[in-house]
Amino acid sequence: MFLFFFDSLQFLRTTILCSYPHPFSHGREGGKMGEVTVTNVTEYQAIAKQKLPKMIYDYYASGAEDEWTLQENREAFARILFRPRILIDVSKIDMTANVLGFKLSMPIMIAPSAMQKMAHPDGEYATARAASAAGTIMTLSSWATSSVEEVASTGPGIRFFQLYVYKNRKVVEQLVRRAEKAGFKAIALTVDTPRLGRREADIKNRFVLPPNLTLKNFEGLDLGKMDQANDSGLASYVAGQIDRTLSWKDVKWLQTITTLPILVKGVITGEDARLAVENGAAGIIVSNHGARQLDYVPATISALEEVVQGAAGRLPVFLDGGVRRGTDVFKALALGAAGVFIGRPVVFSLAAAGEAGVSNVLKMLKDEFELTMALSGCSSLADITRNHVVTEAEKLGVMPSRL
């Protein structure tokens, strides 16, 4: 009986064959070194840790200082409970989403993650192909190890470009125009990084971009390399290049150099949400930079409702940070998000299995989200309401109960 039960479980689980190339080797994946059964997104992290050099894994995995917010980004989701509705026809589930006028297969998109060729030789190429195949958006980092033109060459797809504002504004103008010319559809302006957060793992490891890689978007500008430093090479790079004077007037300035919609990425308060509306942003991404900037800020899911209320329906609000389950996606939408972005699951699955890993992450999250919708009595995104969840504040009686 036990053997039958075990065999049945194995049959039902999705088996992913992971190959193990050296992370800095060239070409496609080599021979298989083992078979790993992956049943959820989080399991890719352990595979990535086993495969990647410590400096690279720590760069992707770590947060700022005590990493309280890093842990809280996940734990805050666990404190939100469901109020499912029953006896509703869920024989057909429609997960299609509209983001800035673009129709997506689901409200799950890929956040910008820097230097993806540290994880896998195909890097951002693989991520772009996986996103396009899944019918969703990939956001390319300014600090990608593939250029906007190279990513565009992978074929059709809806892509956003994440922007850091450099002290040299001519560099910024050139980069934005290149992204626009390459067919990118929006700019995600990162606004929470006038200085780099204190990432102690990077300091201990003296993190630096491996010598065979460059920040491809800046390669011809003598800004593509990162010098070795006594602490973090990235922190030194940011201190030398990123403009600390960045302010709301620069959101206006960006609108004078591009017709692309501008998403403000890094908003976690209602006050800043209102300012984003006033300054012509096309959308907001509630983000704490993967808990890599200021520690002890709230989890993004905890900050979401305040930002949604501040935006007052005048622009869409998205969320990134801590999303690891389809249930997390549902909770974010119930609290007012128009969609979510995922970051670490992409680089960990990329390290584990290349493009196939990223595709599997997107599929698992989509499948989990569809199941959550069905079990909650929702057949479309419009059916997901605030009444479908109970937050910790409501449980404690701080907010009026919906029960």
Side-chain angles (χ1 to χ4, degrees):
M1 183 69 181
F2 174 78
L3 286 174
F4 174 77
F5 178 71
F6 180 79
D7 289 343
S8 299
L9 278 179
Q10 289 296 90
F11 176 77
L12 289 168
R13 296 163 99 187
T14 302
T15 298
I16 307 301
L17 294 177
C18 296
S19 32
Y20 290 72
H22 187 280
F24 309 129
S25 63
H26 295 283
R28 294 194 173 271
E29 294 175 347
K32 295 166 188 167
M33 288 181 61
E35 184 178 301
V36 180
T37 302
V38 175
T39 56
N40 64 69
V41 164
T42 303
E43 290 174 356
Y44 276 117
Q45 183 164 350
I47 302 170
K49 186 173 185 178
Q50 189 177 43
K51 290 186 62 176
L52 293 173
K54 185 177 188 300
M55 180 187 77
I56 304 305
Y57 172 78
D58 286 353
Y59 169 75
Y60 290 136
S62 64
E65 296 187 351
D66 297 327
E67 299 188 339
W68 182 87
T69 298
L70 182 65
Q71 187 174 348
E72 179 68 0
N73 269 354
R74 284 296 307 130
E75 291 183 352
F77 274 108
R79 295 193 295 269
I80 298 169
L81 304 182
F82 289 120
R83 298 184 67 244
R85 301 302 305 274
I86 58 169
L87 296 176
I88 294 170
D89 181 356
V90 289
S91 56
K92 293 179 182 175
I93 303 289
D94 180 8
M95 289 180 287
T96 56
N98 187 301
V99 173
L100 300 185
F102 299 103
K103 188 176 181 181
L104 309 183
S105 67
M106 57 184 170
I108 304 165
M109 299 161 281
I110 294 180
S113 297
M115 312 177 219
Q116 292 183 18
K117 284 188 179 178
M118 295 194 306
H120 188 278
D122 289 347
E124 294 86 1
Y125 287 73
T127 302
R129 290 191 294 259
S132 181
T136 193
I137 290 167
M138 175 209 183
T139 312
L140 183 70
S141 170
S142 279
W143 295 337
T145 39
S146 308
S147 69
V148 288
E149 293 84 5
E150 288 171 334
V151 169
S153 76
T154 63
I158 305 164
R159 300 180 185 112
F160 293 173
F161 181 70
Q162 176 271 329
L163 179 68
Y164 286 110
V165 175
Y166 278 55
K167 292 175 182 175
N168 184 340
R169 294 305 174 93
K170 287 191 175 5
V171 168
V172 178
E173 288 187 45
Q174 183 188 92
L175 196 51
V176 168
R177 292 195 172 114
R178 281 172 57 197
E180 198 165 9
K181 187 178 178 183
F184 284 69
K185 302 302 183 187
I187 300 294
L189 175 66
T190 295
V191 296
D192 59 6
T193 314
R195 295 173 60 174
L196 202 70
R198 183 175 173 82
R199 306 170 188 177
E200 293 178 3
D202 288 350
I203 295 169
K204 283 186 188 352
N205 294 329
R206 296 190 176 185
F207 173 81
V208 70
L209 185 65
N212 62 313
L213 298 174
T214 61
L215 303 179
K216 274 291 208 171
N217 287 313
F218 302 97
E219 198 172 37
L221 302 165
D222 292 327
L223 298 171
K225 283 290 184 183
M226 200 178 291
D227 297 327
Q228 189 78 47
N230 289 327
D231 47 17
S232 161
L234 181 60
S236 298
Y237 182 87
V238 169
Q241 301 299 337
I242 301 304
D243 192 348
R244 297 184 187 183
T245 72
L246 188 70
S247 68
W248 287 107
K249 66 179 170 49
D250 296 300
V251 177
K252 294 278 195 185
W253 170 73
L254 274 176
Q255 292 168 55
T256 69
I257 66 168
T258 183
T259 58
L260 294 178
I262 296 165
L263 302 172
V264 180
K265 179 179 181 292
V267 174
I268 57 171
T269 66
E271 297 94 323
D272 283 335
R274 287 187 284 275
L275 285 169
V277 171
E278 290 170 16
N279 285 278
I284 286 169
I285 302 175
V286 178
S287 174
N288 53 35
H289 211 112
R292 294 157 73 80
Q293 282 299 103
L294 180 62
D295 202 10
Y296 297 98
V297 297
T300 50
I301 192 66
S302 302
L304 176 60
E305 269 200 294
E306 178 184 330
V307 175
V308 168
Q309 289 164 7
R314 289 175 287 179
L315 45 69
V317 175
F318 306 96
L319 174 138
D320 79 12
V323 175
R324 300 292 184 274
R325 285 281 190 183
T327 50
D328 299 335
V329 181
F330 187 100
K331 289 171 183 179
L333 267 61
L335 293 173
V340 302
F341 289 85
I342 56 168
R344 286 186 179 91
V346 171
V347 290
F348 291 146
S349 60
L350 181 66
E355 182 180 339
V358 180
S359 292
N360 194 48
V361 156
L362 292 170
K363 182 181 186 304
M364 284 192 290
L365 287 174
K366 184 179 184 181
D367 289 349
E368 289 178 8
F369 178 54
E370 181 182 35
L371 180 60
T372 305
M373 287 180 64
L375 295 179
S376 298
C378 299
S379 60
S380 71
L381 302 190
D383 293 336
I384 301 171
T385 71
R386 181 63 178 80
N387 288 326
H388 282 100
V389 294
V390 180
T391 64
E392 187 175 34
E394 289 169 321
K395 286 183 285 180
L396 294 173
V398 178
M399 292 175 65
S401 173
R402 293 170 184 271
L403 298 178

